[in-house]
Amino acid sequence: MKYEVVIGLEIHLELLTRSKLFCGCSTAFGLGPNTNCCPVCLGLPGSLPVFNRKAIELAVTAALALKSEVQINSRFDRKNYFYPDLPKAYQVSQYDQPLARGGCLEIELDKSRRKVSLERIHLEEEAGKLVHAGESIIGANYSLVDYNRAGIPLLEIVTAPNLYSGHEARLFLEELHSVLLYCSVSDCKMEEGSLRCDANISLRPAGSPTLGTRTEVKNMNSFRSVEMALEFEAKRQESILTAGGSIIQETFHWDEEKKHTFPLRSKEESSDYRYFPEPDLLPLVLESSYVEKLAERLPMLPQEHRLKLLDQYQLKVKEAVLLTRNRELGDFFETAAVSYSDYRNLINWVQGDLLYQLRESGRDLKKIDPRLFAELLIMVDDGKISRPVAKELLAEMVQTGADPGEMVENRHLGLISSRESLMPVIEQVILGNPDAVDNYRQGKKKALAFLVGKVMAVTGGRADPAELNRLLKEKLK
Ligand code: ADP
Ligand code: ZN
Ligand code: MG
């Protein structure tokens, strides 16, 4: 039987507030254990929570950006469970009256687009962090707990079971990531845990209208591992179903090293959490004018930005996606484009040599000024320097931010195109490579490229290629 994969994601992201959701403690990352805590976030008796306005503003902004319907009336509930990362033994969350319902996000597939529906978006508080002694949670001798993160505002975004492969799940997360960064609600760092994703996955006979039994996969720490974990889990379920077995609803842990999932615990039901309304907080009532004001303040979102890039610079969809995924690169391109109007050449350099140099050097875009990058391309176009020289200069610009014009001047890197300068080198190369010269004269065209390469090597890549070709052919006649 042919099976169809069905996936729904639950994404948690830490909102970019300076203080926690219900107290004034700092949300700064990387401080000494248990230094950002107070009676409220430790759940000491007699302490009372107070809403953080900024958290609500960011949550509503994210909901609006995701076309989710913001609820004027919502409420907080206690989700009860006992685990050492939760000092109060309950998490303040939203249950049956979430902050926002529905919503959607469009993803770009190979040749089409698809709207992925959302179920809900709600606010809740972050738990503390457990550090296990030993390699992993299983078999650890003891665990340490750090409550610095307890009480940081979290936004939970839940998709409908509306994604149909690990790859689609990854595309969805990448697009979501861009949207959230564009509206500055979170720094979305998966490696620091400020964006996390749990995935629910099931199989059903292709075309069947009902959903199969799902498993949940946790502990993926990159978009790539979400894709890999889901592909692994889909295969695991398929082999069980094909052998006539059935899927048990349980939670799996993704092991990044071993690249497979293993079971953690049986999945709890929502009734296990004994949700009840949080008695220490009033219901959250928003004014519609407040929501409207935030809607007006929404920045341009990635999709709209892509349309602008396609239109204004005649880019391809893939290129526009690249520039919106990597916001810094997008800004870089657009600033360079102000002073350089051959957009096709510009994007080719950006996605080719520039990205290559950044990868090679392990640098980011901070050093290199897009205006100087544009100057570099103009020097190539004007015949002032050769492409190989430009590439070398770029490698240096990425490292030091140096001005290419100055480097060319100070180091005499300009293109050599005069007959007087090129001829002596050509003659020397011809004398030194009699075999190649013979080959060329016998009609082997490749030999010419070989000789051109030799002249380039002697001139440090500075010979004007067109002039060099012409003079070399003339000399070889
Ligand atoms: P829970 O009570 O475990 O939080 P929810 O009903 O809130 O369960 O769903 C959590 C996520 O799981 C949602 O993203 C939803 O789309 C997805 N989901 C639910 N059922 C299935 C299923 N059978 N297969 C795949 N995903 C599912
Ligand atoms: Zn606190
Ligand atoms: Mg849920």
Side-chain angles (χ1 to χ4, degrees), residues 15 36 133 171 182 203 221 278 286 321 329 343 394 408 428:
L15 294 174
N36 284 339
L171 290 177
Y182 269 62
L203 260 56
N221 54 14
E278 165 61 65
L286 303 175
V321 168
L329 196 67
Y343 305 135
L394 180 60
V408 169
Q428 175 199 333

Side-chain angles (χ1 to χ4, degrees), residues 159-193:
T159 77
N162 203 351
L163 292 156
Y164 302 104
S165 68
H167 183 62
E168 279 192 21
R170 176 185 180 161
L171 290 177
F172 174 85
L173 284 172
E174 286 174 348
E175 182 64 12
L176 181 69
H177 182 251
S178 304
V179 169
L180 297 169
L181 284 181
Y182 269 62
C183 47
S184 312
V185 296
S186 171
D187 62 14
C188 295
K189 291 186 181 152
M190 255 189 135
E191 63 289 358
E192 284 181 12

Side-chain angles (χ1 to χ4, degrees), residues 23 25 38 41:
C23 62
C25 291
C38 75
C41 54

Side-chain angles (χ1 to χ4, degrees), residues 6-10 119 158-161 200-202 211-212 214 267:
V6 180
I7 295 165
L9 302 178
E10 291 170 283
E119 277 175 5
V158 184
T159 77
N200 291 270
I201 174 169
S202 63
L211 293 170
R214 66 178 145 144
K267 171 86 180 129

Side-chain angles (χ1 to χ4, degrees), residues 198-233:
D198 299 337
N200 291 270
I201 174 169
S202 63
L203 260 56
R204 64 180 171 194
S208 156
T210 49
L211 293 170
T213 303
R214 66 178 145 144
T215 58
E216 187 176 12
V217 189
K218 290 178 178 286
N219 193 47
M220 292 86 73
N221 54 14
S222 68
F223 297 147
R224 221 178 97 70
S225 44
V226 170
E227 179 172 357
M228 281 192 293
L230 287 170
E231 272 161 15
F232 180 91
E233 185 56 19

Side-chain angles (χ1 to χ4, degrees), residues 347-360:
I347 187 67
N348 286 341
W349 272 86
V350 165
Q351 60 184 344
D353 290 286
L354 178 62
L355 282 187
Y356 172 79
Q357 289 300 345
L358 293 172
R359 259 198 313 274
E360 282 293 294

Side-chain angles (χ1 to χ4, degrees), residues 60-132:
V60 171
T61 300
L64 290 167
L66 295 166
K67 302 188 177 66
S68 186
E69 200 176 314
V70 175
Q71 307 293 299
I72 291 300
N73 294 294
S74 70
R75 193 183 70 195
F76 286 79
D77 293 87
R78 288 187 180 180
K79 179 179 183 179
N80 298 279
Y81 65 98
F82 179 77
Y83 201 62
D85 65 0
L86 199 64
K88 301 191 288 246
Y90 62 81
Q91 176 193 31
V92 179
S93 180
Q94 294 190 294
Y95 182 51
D96 53 355
Q97 292 187 37
L99 182 79
R101 294 179 195 270
C104 66
L105 184 66
E106 235 174 71
I107 53 175
E108 305 270 355
L109 301 171
D110 276 345
K111 289 199 175 68
S112 59
R113 293 183 181 168
R114 197 161 68 71
K115 274 201 174 115
V116 178
S117 319
L118 306 181
E119 277 175 5
R120 55 186 273 145
I121 298 179
H122 73 247
L123 263 169
E124 60 188 31
E125 55 179 348
E126 176 75 293
K129 187 174 134 202
L130 291 177
V131 183
H132 306 290

